[in-house]
């Protein structure tokens, strides 16, 4: 008996299907005869209206991930061994990752088939809706047409399960019993906890101290799915103890949490490490977002002029933009692709492009990326998922190659945009995509000034239901902008390894 699918708003479900109608602002699964249909969240009227529309076609769940590296004439620099500074070999990663993940990290194949077991789980929430933000357009009095690809309908409430599910699958397939990871805002940790529960894996999560306290319900979500959650830095690892000795009140960082998770994986043979961003295989898995979106935009008869996404480690941004960069390389389209990062943690706009560690303790491979220095600890902004010292090497590479641009925006402007978005489109966004919303509003207002009717496509990577304390601070007027310290960054950059 097929299980009921639970998809985001605007969605009509039939548990045996993987095809979605695109009709106006609604997405609905194609009705097959002799199958019972069920509607999630009570959106039956909109679903039935879409089904009865005469102008409908369908979009399938992608069956392959796309690897941008295959189409780049200039390949990204290799990862280096943290001790020898020589190019990393597959066996150097074997203590951290299962074999299939290592292959995906290094592959030059253009497309990778998605396993059927992974596809079946994807169908719990995929395809995700592409929605035109007509009410936001009206509020801004802009001639621009704004679309957003909404990933908040997944069980964990964000795009992160797109990679958590295949990572858990490959680990379970190779007989791994335990997985360990880090999490900033808690979205990745909850996604891996969810995926681990489906494949019978024990899951351990090191959550950045600031969000461990700030977002207790994310922690509870992970625990509900069976994960063991630790405040990071912790006394459980050498890396954590060293940080606490230097600063007992440390608010933590993703770099520190990564160090703790990697240390645990390295000293336990039955444990592998999973991560939610930065590495090539993670960005690969996220391309289901952009692959769906290209087809959905075609159904709308639209081509984006500007594509906007927030960046911390780069997974959500890459997931939407990489398939579009492929089309750009073919000469079919030429959109502006814009990454948006927090002003308090501006790795792309203020960092240096250099080989650096992905973690604070220097346990990961060295990666050529835009970095603020591996021991840089960002200010405790409310976008916990963007508090990372570096940028995904592949995103850094295409930034250097001129395929995209980057800006930074302070958090008060982001939350102002989030309130406008919530009060027009109904969705309360997570703090991370508020950066994309703020940049989208800026672009839409420029269109108002110039009269250009640009098509703006925005990545809306998750909901903010567990972030309402941040909204409360903003609504009370207590939220302030936390900017980076040039002195602090220069001190951190002085410790970046010299690789010649």
């Amino acid at each position: 008996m097929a299980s009921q699918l639970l998809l985001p708003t605007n969605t009509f479900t039939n548990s045996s299907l993987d095809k979605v109608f695109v009709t106006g602002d609604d997405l609905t699964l194609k009705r097959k005869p002799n199958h019972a249909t069920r509607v999630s969240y009570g959106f039956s009227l909109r679903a039935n209206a879409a089904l009865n529309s005469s102008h409908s076609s369908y979009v399938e769940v992608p069956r392959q991930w796309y690897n941008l590296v295959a189409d780049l004439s200039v390949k990204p620099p290799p990862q280096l061994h943290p001790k020898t500074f020589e190019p990393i070999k597959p066996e150097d990663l074997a203590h951290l990752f299962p074999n299939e993940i290592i292959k995906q990290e290094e592959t030059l194949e253009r497309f990778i088939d998605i396993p059927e077991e992974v596809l079946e789980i994807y169908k719990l929430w995929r395809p995700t809706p592409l929605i035109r933000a007509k009410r936001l357009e009206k509020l801004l009095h802009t001639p621009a047409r704004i679309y957003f690809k909404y990933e908040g309908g997944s069980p964990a409430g964000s795009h992160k399960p797109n990679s958590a599910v295949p990572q858990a699958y490959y680990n379970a397939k190779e007989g791994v019993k335990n997985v360990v990871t880090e999490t900033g805002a808690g979205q990745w940790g909850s996604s891996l906890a969810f995926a681990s529960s489906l494949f019978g894996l024990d899951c351990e999560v090191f959550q950045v101290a600031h969000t461990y306290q700030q977002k207790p319900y994310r922690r509870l979500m992970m625990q509900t799915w069976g994960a063991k959650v630790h405040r990071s830095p912790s006394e459980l690892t050498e890396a954590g103890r060293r940080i606490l000795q230097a600063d007992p009140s440390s608010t933590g960082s993703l770099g520190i949490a990564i160090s703790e998770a990697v240390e645990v994986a390295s000293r336990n043979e039955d444990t592998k490490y999973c991560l939610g961003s930065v590495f090539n295989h993670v960005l690969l898995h996220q391309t289901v977002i952009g692959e769906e979106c290209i087809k959905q935009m075609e159904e709308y008869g639209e081509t984006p002029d500007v594509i906007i996404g927030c960046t911390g480690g780069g997974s959500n941004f890459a997931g939407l933009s990489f398939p579009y960069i492929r089309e750009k390389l073919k000469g079919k389209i030429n959109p502006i692709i814009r990454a948006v990062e927090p002003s308090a943690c501006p790795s792309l706009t203020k960092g240096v492009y250099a080989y650096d560690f992905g973690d604070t303790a220097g346990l990961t491979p060295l990666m050529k990326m835009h970095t603020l220095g591996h021991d840089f600890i960002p200010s405790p902004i409310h976008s916990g998922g963007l508090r990372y010292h570096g940028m995904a090497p592949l995103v850094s590479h295409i930034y250097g190659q001129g395929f995209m641009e980057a800006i930074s925006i302070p958090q008060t402007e982001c939350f102002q945009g989030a309130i406008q978005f919530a009060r027009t489109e109904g969705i309360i966004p997570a703090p991370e995509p508020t950066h994309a919303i703020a940049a989208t509003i800026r672009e839409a207002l420029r269109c108002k000034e110039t009269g250009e009717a640009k098509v703006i496509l925005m990545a809306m990577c998750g909901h903010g239901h567990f972030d309402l304390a941040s909204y409360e601070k903003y609504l009370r007027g207590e939220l302030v902008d936390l900017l980076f310290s040039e002195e602090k960054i220069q001190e951190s950059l002085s410790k970046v390894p010299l690789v010649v």
Side-chain angles (χ1 to χ4, degrees):
M1 178 177 173
S3 60
Q4 180 185 357
L5 299 184
L6 193 61
L7 295 177
T9 61
N10 305 5
T11 309
F12 182 84
T13 84
N14 180 303
S15 58
S16 65
L17 305 177
D18 63 349
K19 296 181 179 179
V20 174
F21 278 111
V22 181
T23 311
D25 288 351
D26 290 308
L27 300 177
T28 65
L29 284 170
K30 185 178 181 182
R31 186 194 295 272
K32 282 186 178 179
N34 302 321
H35 281 273
T37 55
R38 306 185 72 174
V39 177
S40 303
Y41 298 129
F43 286 87
S44 55
L45 293 178
R46 297 183 70 185
N48 288 331
L51 280 173
N52 293 329
S53 170
S54 60
H55 181 64
S56 301
S57 57
Y58 62 78
V59 171
E60 294 184 350
V61 177
R63 303 190 71 85
Q64 293 180 311
W65 296 303
Y66 168 63
N67 178 24
L68 177 62
V69 177
D71 288 325
L72 296 177
S73 59
V74 179
K75 304 302 183 189
Q79 297 179 17
L80 304 181
H81 193 284
K83 294 181 179 178
T84 67
F85 288 10
E86 294 295 323
I88 207 88
K89 300 175 183 177
E91 55 265 31
D92 296 327
L93 299 173
H95 66 291
L96 292 178
F97 304 123
N99 291 329
E100 188 59 34
I101 289 294
I102 295 172
K103 290 178 185 177
Q104 291 179 6
E105 185 64 25
E106 301 295 333
T107 187
L108 294 178
E109 292 183 33
R110 182 170 286 104
F111 293 101
I112 306 296
D113 290 339
I114 302 174
E116 286 297 327
E117 295 90 339
V118 173
L119 277 172
E120 285 304 308
I121 297 172
Y122 274 179
K123 291 173 191 176
L124 289 171
W125 71 94
R126 303 213 70 85
T128 58
L130 174 68
I131 302 170
R132 183 170 172 188
K134 290 182 178 179
R135 289 170 291 277
L136 180 61
E137 294 170 10
K138 184 177 180 181
L139 175 72
L140 300 175
H141 301 287
T142 180
R145 299 189 294 283
I146 301 171
Y147 293 85
F148 63 96
K149 178 68 167 162
Y150 183 52
E151 293 290 303
S154 75
S158 77
H159 67 294
K160 292 295 187 179
N162 296 334
S163 186
V165 171
Q167 288 191 55
Y169 165 76
Y170 289 125
N171 275 288
K173 187 178 180 182
E174 294 186 21
V176 175
K177 302 299 181 185
N178 311 301
V179 291
V180 61
T181 194
E182 75 289 330
T183 193
Q187 292 178 347
W188 168 248
S190 55
S191 297
L192 188 62
F194 155 69
S196 297
S197 72
L198 298 181
F199 291 104
L201 298 170
D202 288 333
C203 179
E204 189 171 5
V205 182
F206 287 88
Q207 185 174 11
V208 174
H210 174 62
T211 52
Y212 183 90
Q213 298 301 133
Q214 185 191 68
K215 301 177 183 181
Y217 293 110
R218 273 285 171 195
R219 181 171 75 248
L220 212 60
M221 194 178 196
M222 293 181 247
Q223 292 168 336
T224 299
W225 276 316
K228 186 185 297 182
V229 187
H230 310 294
R231 180 189 185 277
S232 174
S234 74
E235 294 285 354
L236 300 173
T237 65
E238 182 181 339
R241 290 190 293 270
R242 188 161 59 245
I243 294 293
L244 289 173
Q245 186 175 8
D247 181 9
S249 61
S250 172
T251 57
S253 71
L254 275 169
I256 295 170
I258 291 170
S259 293
E260 295 205 85
V262 169
E263 182 180 325
V264 169
S266 298
R267 71 188 186 203
N268 293 282
E269 291 186 2
D270 62 350
T271 302
K272 297 293 185 183
Y273 172 60
C274 298
L275 76 165
S277 195
V278 180
F279 273 50
N280 289 357
H281 67 270
V282 182
L283 277 54
L284 174 81
H285 299 155
Q286 293 295 348
T287 58
V288 292
I289 301 171
E291 295 289 12
E292 283 179 6
C293 196
I294 286 174
K295 294 177 181 177
Q296 290 168 325
M297 288 293 283
E298 288 173 354
E299 293 300 331
Y300 274 114
E302 298 274 41
T303 300
D305 298 300
V306 186
I307 298 171
I308 298 173
C310 66
T311 48
S315 65
N316 163 64
F317 174 80
L320 180 63
S321 67
F322 280 10
Y324 277 101
I325 292 175
R326 177 190 65 221
E327 301 306 301
K328 188 172 184 175
L329 287 169
K330 292 178 180 178
K332 293 184 176 181
I333 57 174
N334 190 32
I336 294 170
I337 298 174
R338 184 174 298 143
V340 193
E341 58 187 5
S343 294
C345 193
S347 59
L348 281 171
T349 55
K350 296 293 183 181
V352 299
Y353 185 50
Y355 271 105
D356 198 8
F357 296 106
D359 70 310
T360 301
L363 301 177
T364 68
L366 285 160
M367 297 174 284
K368 193 75 174 288
M369 61 183 178
H370 286 82
T371 179
L372 300 169
H374 59 274
D375 66 350
F376 177 76
I377 300 179
S379 300
I381 56 173
H382 288 267
S383 298
L386 307 185
R387 292 180 68 239
Y388 184 59
H389 68 272
M391 183 53 60
L394 190 48
V395 173
S396 291
H397 180 67
I398 64 170
Y399 181 50
Q401 294 292 307
F403 292 114
M404 54 171 281
E405 60 185 46
I407 62 173
S408 64
I409 298 181
Q411 66 178 356
T412 52
E413 181 181 346
C414 295
F415 272 87
Q416 179 184 3
I419 295 295
Q420 291 177 298
F421 186 85
R423 291 177 181 176
T424 53
E425 298 305 317
I427 297 170
I428 299 174
E432 290 76 18
T434 65
H435 294 74
I437 292 170
T440 295
I441 290 173
R442 285 185 182 185
E443 186 67 30
L445 291 177
R446 276 194 290 267
C447 289
K448 178 181 177 181
E449 293 176 1
T450 64
E452 295 175 282
K454 289 183 179 179
V455 176
I456 305 171
L457 172 61
M458 179 184 70
M460 244 296 285
C461 58
H463 67 65
H465 299 169
F466 298 99
D467 303 284
L468 294 179
S470 301
Y471 280 89
E472 183 179 31
K473 276 197 169 185
Y474 176 79
L475 293 170
R476 287 181 174 178
E478 298 172 357
L479 196 71
V480 297
D481 290 326
L482 301 172
L483 303 179
F484 67 93
S485 162
E486 285 282 3
E487 182 179 346
K488 187 177 177 183
I489 289 179
Q490 291 308 314
E491 180 184 354
S492 180
L493 288 175
S494 69
K495 300 173 185 176
V496 170
L498 294 176
V499 178
V500 294

